[in-house]
Amino acid sequence: TDPALIRNFCIIAHIDHGKSTLADRMLQITGVVDDRSMRAQYLDRMDIERERGITIKSQAVRLPYDGHVLNMIDTPGHVDFTYEVSRSLQACEGAILLVDAAQGIEAQTLANLYLAMNADLHIIPVLNKIDLPAAQPEKFAEELAGLIGCDPSDVLRVSGKTGEGVRELLDHVVREVPAPVGRADAAARALIFDSVYDTYRGVVTYVRVVDGHLGKRERILMMSTAATHETLEIGVISPEPRPAELGLGVGEVGYLITGVKDVRQSRVGDTVTSAVKSAGEMLAGYEHPKPMVFSGLYPIDGDEYPELREALDKLQLNDAALVYEPETSAALGFGFRVGFLGLLHMEIVRERLEREFGLSLISTAPNVIYRVIMEDGSELTVTNPSEFPTGGKIAQVFEPVTKSTILAPSEFIGAIMEICQGRRGNLLGMDYLSEDRVEIRYTLPLGEIIFDFFDQLKSRTRGYASLDYEPAGEQEADLVKVDILLQGEPVDAFSAIVHREKAYAYGTEMAKKLRELIPRQQFEVPIQAAIGARVIARENIRAIRKDVLAKCYGGDISRKRKLLEKQKEGKKRMKMVGRVEVPQEAFVAALSTD
Ligand code: GDP
Ligand code: MG
């Protein structure tokens, strides 16, 4: 295709502002999907995406329109996947900035807008859902115009639901989004903006060709790893994969298949070139996705450990950001320490493991990465509280911090500030987006955000606040490890690294929870919370004489046998901590956040 006829654009928005629905209408209007095969959120292909109504993987679709080729890239909107969003943006020249006309600008509207501006994209401001009775297009057009510095009348208005204004929007894209420019005769360079594992086809790699041409049966080179592969198939998605006999030229967006079985061999952000005639320089900044949040994952049934390993291996084929290593816990047995991009990523991985692989899992409370410097100058990276040094002398502990942006109606400023101060936040600034909506910026420790911050924020603002955060380096903090001991034996799964001022609260809460969850034993069981050797909280489980047979003394034998079997059944699900028998459920319940 002549690059002059190509328009590459993406749709960016806060979650639920209607990206996928708008994409649906575009698929229909351009005739790529006929009315009969249409279903809502057509491009969200994974079950979990469809059920949760969120987009996790980017999708690219080629839409023929009015003599032009439009390549639309639907992006995941969530902070955890910012890296993928920014790669998708790099594959475009334009971005539709979509805002719900009944909600106005939210935290991810801003975050995505800044990403798009950084990628130098032409931005088209659009209000969506104008069919809603609660829509306030005048008010929010002004807000949006104020944000990007245009006239309110330049803000387009559409309804992804009814299709109103969508044709005009496509015309606008054709007119306003710049055509791609590249050197057709140069060595091929294509940006990988997504990479997906498919059981039948192996890894499918989505690329945007910047320079040159990629063809079928060509030897290609992945520039960050220097690995070479052969393109077995190359094509476009419209809306299903369709091989392109002529390959892909300048400005084109499509996919290629090389037969590799692992997305780590075809990483998002990498540059593909020809192995025979290689480009000299990679395309802009390739980064490894870095895990930010860690948690222990254990099978509830210890026998499922091999299955868990196999499931993680399989998921990793499709998720280059997922990292894990074996770990053993005295309380929970054999499991893995798993690293995630963020909380949503963690939830998704866990849900997929349970659903797609039929596993039942316990996960320990999530934690971030700490950097510990000892007095002798040695340094430690701690991703698991049980590795936090207790013996030696700690000189300094560093924790990751974020720059967090919260958007909310101004009536909630007080509540938001209270939550943030309570979590060691540092106010950076505050701006009014309109009379009654504010943007509040804080530096917040990541470790405080991953601990039900978002839930609290939502409940204290009746769901009206939205949050976005980005990594902003690290800071020194007075952090300690709190251990929970049963009869003097530490239960490793409950150890946590917390700020010194919160150690007592964490310790008493865990001790209380466990007292309620652990059944009485034949002997008294003290529960203690301790920092090193210093006990900071204590509870007691009183002793009981438990004899199931006493109840049916003299009763008939089959009933006795049944009771014994039932008790044996129960024992299987018990874990021993020292001499204390703890039912598995107690761990599960104590570890679940409520
Ligand atoms: P995404 O998270 O940005 O991809 O948003 P979705 O496309 O999944 O839409 C979120 C919700 O808003 C869904 O329940 C849609 O049915 C609804 N929605 C999307 N566009 C419109 C619209 O134009 N009008 C109305 N009334 N609802 C819409
Ligand atoms: Mg979506």
Side-chain angles (χ1 to χ4, degrees):
T1 314
D2 178 359
L5 297 177
I6 298 175
R7 302 290 182 271
N8 296 326
F9 70 96
C10 54
I11 308 174
I12 53 178
H14 188 76
I15 192 156
D16 277 350
H17 281 204
K19 290 187 302 287
S20 302
T21 306
L22 177 63
D24 287 348
R25 291 296 83 69
M26 293 182 170
L27 291 173
Q28 255 177 328
I29 288 175
T30 56
V32 164
V33 177
D34 62 40
D35 296 349
R36 210 159 28 87
S37 349
M38 196 64 214
R39 50 180 163 73
Q41 280 96 25
Y42 191 90
L43 297 174
D44 290 345
R45 293 173 212 242
M46 283 156 67
D47 285 348
I48 185 164
E49 290 182 310
R50 303 193 61 78
E51 272 167 36
R52 291 182 162 226
I54 56 169
T55 310
I56 297 166
K57 300 299 285 183
S58 305
Q59 292 288 348
V61 200
R62 183 179 172 108
L63 309 169
Y65 183 73
D66 195 20
H68 288 73
V69 169
L70 310 184
N71 289 307
M72 173 181 67
I73 297 174
D74 186 15
T75 62
H78 195 272
V79 279
D80 283 10
F81 307 105
T82 295
Y83 180 68
E84 292 203 13
V85 178
S86 68
R87 293 300 106 176
S88 305
L89 297 183
Q90 221 92 60
C92 302
E93 278 75 34
I96 292 174
L97 178 66
L98 200 64
V99 173
D100 187 325
Q103 303 274 328
I105 294 165
E106 301 278 4
Q108 265 98 57
T109 317
L110 288 182
N112 285 310
L113 171 64
Y114 297 145
L115 288 173
M117 284 164 56
N118 274 335
D120 261 336
L121 302 192
H122 178 88
I123 288 154
I124 302 174
V126 179
L127 287 178
N128 187 30
K129 308 197 189 182
I130 52 166
D131 62 287
L132 285 177
Q136 295 178 275
E138 300 308 323
K139 176 177 171 192
F140 293 125
E142 203 147 305
E143 202 179 278
L144 197 47
L147 179 68
I148 63 175
C150 65
D151 196 85
S153 64
D154 296 334
V155 177
L156 303 187
R157 297 167 188 201
V158 305
S159 164
K161 187 172 173 193
T162 67
E164 188 182 345
V166 178
R167 230 171 244 288
E168 290 76 4
L169 173 57
L170 289 174
D171 291 336
H172 195 87
V173 167
V174 169
R175 232 178 16 250
E176 303 290 332
V177 174
V181 278
R183 292 165 300 159
D185 50 0
R189 288 201 300 174
L191 175 76
I192 300 181
F193 64 88
D194 200 8
S195 201
V196 184
Y197 176 76
D198 179 301
T199 324
Y200 303 105
R201 291 145 54 93
V203 173
V204 181
T205 300
Y206 294 86
V207 294
R208 147 78 195 257
V209 178
V210 174
D211 293 322
H213 178 270
L214 287 176
K216 195 175 146 187
R217 295 273 159 205
E218 185 174 334
R219 281 218 74 80
I220 54 167
L221 171 74
M222 302 294 180
M223 293 184 77
S224 79
T225 58
T228 64
H229 306 286
E230 185 181 350
T231 52
L232 302 178
E233 185 179 321
I234 186 160
V236 298
I237 311 270
S238 193
E240 303 305 327
R242 203 176 66 208
E245 289 312 317
L246 299 175
L248 299 173
V250 168
E252 288 197 285
V253 174
Y255 69 93
L256 51 92
I257 293 173
T258 60
V260 303
K261 287 272 182 267
D262 184 337
V263 290
R264 286 171 297 174
Q265 292 172 286
S266 191
R267 285 192 185 255
V268 172
D270 202 352
T271 302
V272 182
T273 188
S274 156
V276 182
K277 183 186 169 195
S278 308
E281 220 177 294
M282 284 179 68
L283 296 164
Y286 166 70
E287 271 173 64
H288 265 297
K290 271 197 237 57
M292 309 276 284
V293 175
F294 289 80
S295 153
L297 274 185
Y298 293 84
I300 288 190
D301 175 355
D303 293 344
E304 282 187 350
Y305 176 75
E307 281 94 327
L308 175 56
R309 171 188 293 277
E310 210 170 293
L312 283 166
D313 287 345
K314 282 207 179 119
L315 270 192
Q316 200 176 40
L317 296 177
N318 201 6
D319 187 346
L322 182 67
V323 296
Y324 52 91
E325 56 182 40
E327 144 181 303
T328 318
S329 150
L332 303 175
F334 292 105
F336 293 91
R337 177 114 307 234
V338 188
F340 307 95
L341 295 172
L343 280 187
L344 179 67
H345 186 214
M346 178 170 95
E347 265 178 50
I348 288 169
V349 168
R350 182 171 168 175
E351 202 173 315
R352 291 185 68 184
L353 287 170
E354 299 203 309
R355 189 201 310 225
E356 294 168 29
F357 299 91
L359 298 164
S360 308
L361 303 171
I362 317 184
S363 51
T364 60
N367 59 269
V368 298
I369 303 186
Y370 299 96
R371 200 161 64 85
V372 181
I373 304 198
M374 307 299 287
E375 276 178 359
D376 66 8
S378 61
E379 188 180 319
L380 243 88
T381 303
V382 175
T383 57
N384 182 342
S386 68
E387 293 162 2
F388 198 82
T390 32
K393 296 256 189 307
I394 294 175
Q396 284 173 301
V397 183
F398 291 89
E399 62 176 347
V401 289
T402 66
K403 194 187 143 201
S404 295
T405 306
I406 298 163
L407 262 67
S410 43
E411 62 189 283
F412 297 115
I413 293 177
I416 292 168
M417 289 177 79
E418 207 178 294
I419 298 174
C420 292
Q421 310 293 11
R423 292 175 181 250
R424 301 185 285 128
N426 233 327
L427 183 64
L428 292 172
M430 182 155 48
D431 283 310
Y432 279 80
L433 293 168
S434 60
E435 270 170 28
D436 53 359
R437 283 176 68 76
V438 288
E439 175 194 342
I440 307 173
R441 293 179 304 277
Y442 266 94
T443 309
L444 277 164
L446 180 62
E448 297 281 349
I449 292 183
I450 65 171
F451 201 73
D452 76 47
F453 179 77
F454 194 55
D455 290 341
Q456 251 197 46
L457 187 66
K458 281 275 171 198
S459 75
R460 295 282 307 271
T461 61
R462 285 188 270 120
Y464 279 111
S466 59
L467 164 77
D468 191 71
Y469 58 87
E470 55 181 276
E474 54 173 22
Q475 71 182 17
E476 193 181 345
D478 188 9
L479 299 165
V480 294
K481 177 169 81 155
V482 179
D483 289 318
I484 305 294
L485 302 96
L486 282 186
Q487 252 210 348
E489 290 275 333
V491 188
D492 50 8
F494 295 126
S495 294
I497 298 168
V498 293
H499 193 262
R500 191 180 298 276
E501 281 170 11
K502 291 192 178 159
Y504 176 75
Y506 176 80
T508 25
E509 195 196 313
M510 280 317 268
K512 274 215 184 84
K513 239 187 196 177
L514 286 175
R515 192 196 60 202
E516 277 159 25
L517 291 167
I518 296 175
R520 291 183 181 185
Q521 316 272 318
Q522 317 269 6
F523 42 85
E524 187 180 273
V525 179
I527 306 173
Q528 296 162 310
I531 300 174
R534 192 163 60 86
V535 173
I536 56 171
R538 185 189 167 111
E539 296 276 343
N540 256 326
I541 305 173
R542 277 185 293 129
I544 188 186
R545 252 200 83 75
K546 179 169 131 204
D547 186 349
V548 278
L549 292 184
K551 274 187 221 142
C552 48
Y553 185 71
D556 76 290
I557 194 78
S558 76
R559 180 148 175 258
K560 258 184 205 171
R561 191 175 302 126
K562 252 191 216 147
L563 265 170
L564 278 172
E565 268 162 24
K566 221 168 137 198
Q567 200 187 34
K568 228 164 83 198
E569 190 75 20
K571 275 236 166 66
K572 271 203 296 200
R573 304 187 59 93
M574 293 285 179
K575 300 264 175 176
M576 297 299 291
V577 176
R579 285 167 62 215
V580 186
E581 274 186 345
V582 183
Q584 186 90 41
E585 292 77 39
F587 286 128
V588 179
L591 286 169
S592 68
T593 44
D594 33 41

